[in-house]
């Protein structure tokens, strides 16, 4: 069409010449002549057939998409199309609406056969680039109402038609379609352009009003939704705060059924938690009745709402009155349900990490239809309740365990007190009589064997008395009631008191005892007897586990704000896997030939910690051990 040598170009030039003569003959105004000339130039540039352009129709799927996209336009235009067709029925008009691309969306007026002949049925393309100059297509291209009379059409096939078209705009000025009223030249009139433009304007106003109404409705719906969301958030926050204040699982369940019951407008509610029996449930909270009805453990009956909720792991509603009555009389007996005309049961599971903790059941009068937002809200509240139940159940278990432990400690202390009292009295008598016998036999040379027996009695009594003292010390340490009387002391005096006894025992086994305490060492704040007890325990162990001919060393040094005391031996050492348990009460090394109670090091640790110090051990098997502890300075 763009090639001037083609037959189509020749026809187009001839039509241009004839149309120019036609315009001069009619003496039309120049703007209209310019508008049609522009349309012809666009049609020529688009290679439109100047004789009979092809009637192109889009496929049904594409048409369906366009109809859906332009549904508001079609809905607004149809009444006006029928009105125009009725008004101009004497002219046998074809009235149709196209979308912004010129695709026919709907048409009325002429017979279907004529509409099909002229391509005016939905789906046909009447854009200017496809059909040349025409009412709807040119109105869209020129963005103004147009009247195309007879030979003003680019294609000669439409020389006997008069087409009046007007664009239809969205509120922002975008062209969303056009209306076209076409009649024959004999019955057509360009004066109808005002009518068509008015129809287009009316459609625009109706669309704008419809969209504005829809916008206001959307805003109102959004406002309501936001308000509901704020209200739901406030309810969730209130429930969360209330659950945080609960201390038992029953209190948590009671908070949940009251909050959710208010949302559901329930007449009654029950909360059940699992029992030790995996198939059992127990009532922990209720509302809506006096709560005096018996509630035995509920078996896993699939007909019962709470069991259904637990089985499915989601909210369950039983709206059928017959089904509800049959299940509910077994599930929730009481005056509330029987007094209702059409009860409905709503059950929610209490689950956490896939574990069933119990469930909540609500009795509602009338049909129960919960919208998704309410379902989500009550389900979230049930999840919060499950978390609170779990937390409080763990707290209750811990509280019971702590109470049992405290009771056990109390009973143990009571037993130790009784044992200490009952043993110390006869031991005191034994030790007193042994001392008297020892003094009496001191002058009898021939009775040395009696003196040995008395010494044996005395040693056994002292050992028993020390064992009792150790047991009482361990009990005091466990109960955090170990008493100390700290005062300033020279470290050298404390070490001297403790090493005196071990030196006597070391002589018979050829053990060397070395003491290294600097003379300028600052004084420490300590309970003298307790610190000597610690050193005696450490030195006693060193003496016990060091072979004959070995060495034992005691060294003291000034540290940062404290004094460190170290007891080193050349004994058998301690295995690495035993170091973490060496200070545990009653623990002794496996295969230990040196039998003991396992209390000495535990007591030593308790005494050092009571002074605010630290105690530790460094050892390797075959290389001896070094036990160290610290004491605070007297000036701190």
């Amino acid at each position: 069409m763009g090639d001037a040598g083609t037959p189509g170009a020749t026809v187009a030039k001839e039509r241009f010449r004839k149309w120019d003569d036609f315009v001069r003959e009619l003496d039309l105004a120049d703007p209209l002549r310019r508008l049609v000339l522009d349309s012809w130039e666009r049609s020529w540039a688009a290679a439109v057939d100047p004789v009979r352009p092809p009637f192109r129709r889009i496929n049904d799927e594409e048409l369906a998409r366009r109809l859906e996209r332009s549904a508001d336009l079609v809905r607004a235009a149809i009444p006006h199309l029928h009105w125009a067709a009725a008004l101009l029925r004497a002219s046998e008009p074809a009235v149709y609406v196209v979308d912004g691309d010129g695709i026919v969306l709907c048409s009325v007026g002429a017979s279907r056969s004529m509409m099909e002949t002229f391509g005016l049925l939905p789906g046909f393309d009447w854009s200017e680039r496809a059909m040349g100059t025409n009412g709807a297509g040119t109105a869209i291209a020129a963005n103004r109402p147009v009247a195309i009379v007879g030979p003003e059409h680019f294609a000669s096939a439409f020389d006997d038609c008069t087409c009046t078209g007007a664009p239809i705009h969205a509120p922002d000025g975008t062209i969303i379609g056009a209306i076209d009223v076409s009649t024959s030249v004999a019955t057509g009139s360009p004066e109808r352009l005002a009518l068509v433009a008015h129809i287009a304007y009316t459609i625009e106003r109706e669309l704008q009003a419809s969209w504005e109404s829809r916008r206001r409705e959307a805003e109102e719906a959004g406002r309501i939704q936001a308000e509901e969301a704020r209200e739901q958030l406030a309810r969730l926050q209130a429930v969360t705060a209330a659950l945080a204040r609960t201390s038992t699982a029953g209190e948590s369940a009671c908070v949940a059924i009251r909050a959710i019951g208010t949302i559901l407008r329930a007449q009654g509610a029950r909360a059940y938690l699992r029992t030790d029996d995996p198939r059992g449930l127990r009532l922990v909270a209720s509302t809506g009745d006096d709560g005096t009805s018996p509630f035995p453990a509920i078996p896993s009956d699939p007909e019962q709402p709470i069991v259904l909720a637990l089985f499915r792991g989601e909210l369950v509603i039983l709206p059928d009155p017959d089904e509800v009555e049959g299940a509910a009389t077994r599930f929730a007996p009481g005056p509330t349900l029987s007094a209702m005309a059409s009860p409905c049961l709503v059950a929610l599971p209490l689950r956490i990490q896939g574990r069933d903790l119990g469930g909540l059941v609500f009795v509602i009068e009338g049909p129960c239809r919960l919208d998704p937002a309410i379902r989500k809200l009550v389900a979230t509240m049930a999840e919060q309740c499950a978390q609170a139940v779990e937390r409080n159940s763990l707290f209750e278990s811990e509280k019971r365990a702590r109470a049992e432990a405290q009771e056990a400690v109390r009973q143990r202390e009571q037993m130790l007190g009784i044992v200490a009292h009952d043993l110390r009295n006869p031991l005191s008598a034994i030790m007193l009589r042994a001392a008297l016998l020892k003094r009496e036999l001191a002058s009898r040379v021939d009775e040395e064997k009696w003196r040995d027996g008395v010494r044996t009695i005395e040693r056994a009594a002292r050992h028993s008395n020390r064992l009792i003292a150790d047991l009482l010390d361990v009990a005091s340490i466990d109960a955090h009631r170990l008493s100390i009387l700290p005062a300033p002391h020279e470290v050298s005096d404390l070490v001297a008191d403790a090493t005196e006894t071990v030196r006597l025992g070391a002589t018979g086994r050829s053990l060397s005892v070395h003491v290294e305490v600097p003379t300028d060492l600052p004084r420490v704040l300590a309970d003298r007897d307790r610190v000597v007890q610690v050193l005696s325990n450490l030195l006693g162990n060193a003496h016990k586990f060091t072979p004959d001919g070995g060495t034992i060393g005691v060294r003291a040094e000034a540290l940062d704000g404290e004094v460190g005391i170290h007891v080193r031996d050349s004994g058998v050492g301690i295995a690495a896997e035993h170091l973490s348990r060496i200070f545990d009460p009653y623990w002794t090394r496996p295969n230990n030939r040196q039998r003991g109670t396992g209390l000495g090091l535990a007591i030593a640790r308790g005494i050092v910690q009571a002074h605010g110090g630290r105690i530790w051990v460094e050892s390797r098997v075959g290389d001896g051990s070094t036990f160290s502890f610290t004491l605070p300075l007297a000036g701190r």
Side-chain angles (χ1 to χ4, degrees):
M1 191 64 201
D3 186 354
T6 62
T10 302
V11 172
K13 287 181 178 180
E14 179 63 21
R15 285 189 59 74
F16 262 117
R17 186 185 63 78
K18 289 182 178 180
W19 183 81
D20 192 47
D21 293 341
F22 176 74
V23 169
R24 283 196 298 271
E25 181 181 342
L26 294 179
D27 192 23
L28 296 178
D30 185 70
L32 183 57
R33 179 174 180 271
R34 184 69 260 170
L35 183 150
V36 179
L37 277 174
D38 289 343
S39 175
W40 278 48
E41 289 173 358
R42 289 192 298 267
S43 303
W44 191 3
V48 177
D49 187 340
V51 179
R52 184 176 175 82
F55 292 94
R56 186 180 71 87
R57 187 180 188 276
I58 61 176
N59 60 51
D60 291 341
E61 291 182 0
E62 176 64 18
L63 176 60
R65 283 193 292 270
R66 288 176 179 270
L67 287 172
E68 181 178 2
R69 189 165 59 240
S70 302
D72 290 340
L73 173 60
V74 173
R75 194 162 37 246
I78 284 179
H80 297 284
L81 299 187
H82 284 285
W83 177 81
L87 181 67
L88 304 173
R89 62 181 177 274
S91 303
E92 297 183 352
V95 188
Y96 61 96
V97 166
V98 299
D99 65 9
D101 296 326
I103 304 300
V104 177
L105 300 175
C106 60
S107 57
V108 297
S111 65
R112 181 176 179 84
S113 60
M114 190 187 93
M115 298 283 249
E116 190 169 2
T117 300
F118 285 95
L120 297 177
L121 293 177
F124 280 95
D125 185 354
W126 273 88
S127 63
E128 199 177 62
R129 64 182 178 276
M131 302 298 287
T133 308
N134 69 86
T138 302
I140 291 174
N143 193 19
R144 58 167 292 175
V146 297
I148 311 299
V149 180
E152 293 178 1
H153 289 87
F154 181 79
S156 59
F158 308 132
D159 281 354
D160 60 347
C161 296
T162 295
C163 300
T164 49
I168 301 173
H169 301 88
D172 61 359
T174 305
I175 298 176
I176 59 174
I179 183 172
D180 187 304
V181 177
S182 297
T183 62
S184 66
V185 172
T187 59
S189 172
E191 284 76 15
R192 290 179 183 154
L193 184 58
L195 174 65
V196 174
H198 178 73
I199 293 175
Y201 173 76
T202 304
I203 293 173
E204 289 177 355
R205 294 301 300 269
E206 290 180 359
L207 282 174
Q208 183 175 1
S210 174
W211 290 336
E212 179 65 21
S213 174
R214 194 176 303 169
R215 183 190 63 80
R216 287 195 299 268
E217 290 175 358
E219 287 182 351
E220 179 64 14
R223 186 191 64 78
I224 293 174
Q225 187 175 7
E227 186 176 337
E228 290 176 349
R230 285 193 296 270
E231 182 181 352
Q232 291 177 6
L233 179 60
R235 285 175 169 174
L236 281 175
Q237 291 173 338
V239 169
T240 301
L243 289 172
R245 293 191 294 269
T246 61
S247 58
T248 66
E251 289 177 2
S252 301
C254 187
V255 167
I257 61 174
R258 291 185 184 278
I260 298 175
T262 300
I263 295 171
L264 299 180
R265 295 183 175 87
Q267 276 67 45
R270 300 287 171 90
Y272 293 86
L273 296 181
R274 287 288 191 187
T275 62
D276 294 335
D277 180 0
R279 292 171 56 87
L281 293 168
R282 62 186 175 90
L283 177 71
V284 295
S286 66
T287 63
D289 57 39
D290 56 10
T292 58
S293 302
F295 288 89
I298 301 176
S300 298
D301 183 354
E303 294 182 1
Q304 296 176 358
I306 193 169
V307 177
L308 284 174
L310 291 175
F311 178 75
R312 298 176 186 174
E314 62 183 11
L315 182 146
V316 171
I317 301 176
L318 291 182
D320 182 6
D322 295 334
E323 185 178 1
V324 169
E325 187 66 25
T329 50
R330 297 191 306 276
F331 170 71
T336 300
L337 193 66
S338 58
M340 296 170 62
S342 56
C344 172
L345 289 183
V346 177
L348 282 162
L350 296 179
R351 308 187 90 190
I352 185 167
Q353 297 179 351
R355 293 183 294 107
D356 295 329
L357 304 182
L360 312 175
V361 183
F362 303 88
V363 182
I364 302 172
E365 186 167 12
C368 180
R369 296 178 180 86
L370 304 181
D371 61 54
I374 295 298
R375 283 176 175 264
K376 184 176 181 180
L377 176 62
V378 298
T380 302
M381 287 185 173
E383 290 175 3
Q384 290 181 323
C385 176
Q387 294 173 3
V389 166
E390 175 80 352
R391 182 186 67 248
N392 288 328
S393 296
L394 293 175
F395 176 75
E396 290 175 3
S397 299
E398 181 184 353
K399 186 176 180 181
R400 286 194 298 270
R402 187 164 58 249
E404 291 172 357
Q406 290 174 347
E407 177 62 19
V409 170
R410 189 193 65 78
Q411 292 179 358
R412 184 184 65 183
E413 290 180 352
Q414 183 179 12
M415 180 196 69
L416 287 174
I418 294 173
V419 170
H421 180 272
D422 290 350
L423 286 179
R424 273 188 165 170
N425 283 340
L427 279 175
S428 297
I430 291 172
M431 293 179 69
L432 177 61
R433 297 302 299 172
L436 291 175
L437 284 172
K438 185 178 179 180
R439 187 168 62 238
E440 171 133 0
L441 296 173
S443 61
R444 302 185 184 183
V445 180
D446 58 341
E447 296 188 11
E448 181 65 25
K449 63 178 181 178
W450 293 103
R451 285 194 291 273
D452 289 343
V454 171
R455 283 194 291 270
T456 301
I457 294 172
E458 195 174 29
R459 282 196 301 272
R462 278 199 302 269
H463 176 74
S464 298
N465 197 47
R466 187 167 59 252
L467 177 59
I468 292 171
D470 286 348
L471 287 172
L472 292 174
D473 282 345
V474 169
S476 297
I477 291 170
D478 287 345
H480 304 287
R481 291 203 300 267
L482 181 68
S483 62
I484 60 171
L485 300 173
H489 291 286
E490 296 289 345
V491 177
S492 56
D493 293 342
L494 300 176
V495 173
D497 285 353
T499 56
E500 181 180 354
T501 303
V502 77
R503 285 183 186 276
L504 295 175
T507 304
R509 296 178 51 199
S510 302
L511 297 177
S512 300
V513 180
H514 302 285
V515 176
E516 182 182 347
V517 179
T519 57
D520 60 346
L521 203 64
R523 293 198 298 174
V524 294
L525 187 65
D527 185 317
R528 182 187 186 95
D529 292 338
R530 289 298 190 183
V531 172
V532 171
Q533 182 181 355
V534 173
L535 283 168
S536 298
N537 277 332
L538 300 180
L539 288 169
N541 285 343
H543 182 274
K544 186 187 304 182
F545 293 104
T546 301
D548 294 350
T551 59
I552 298 174
V554 181
R555 181 174 62 88
E557 62 176 339
L559 301 175
D560 184 15
E562 56 188 359
V563 169
I565 302 176
H566 312 277
V567 178
R568 164 77 180 170
D569 66 62
S570 60
V572 296
I574 304 169
E577 63 268 21
H578 297 152
L579 291 176
S580 62
R581 301 196 59 192
I582 198 71
F583 293 104
D584 291 349
Y586 308 106
W587 186 86
T588 58
R589 282 180 278 186
N591 302 319
N592 180 15
R593 296 181 181 179
Q594 303 289 345
R595 299 296 300 276
T597 60
L599 298 177
L601 291 177
I603 294 172
R605 180 179 64 178
I607 293 173
V608 170
Q609 290 177 344
H611 282 80
R614 299 170 290 119
I615 187 168
W616 67 96
V617 61
E618 298 170 288
S619 181
R620 286 192 305 176
V621 175
D623 195 29
S625 304
T626 300
F627 284 84
S628 305
F629 66 95
T630 62
L631 293 172
L633 298 181
R636 294 189 63 185

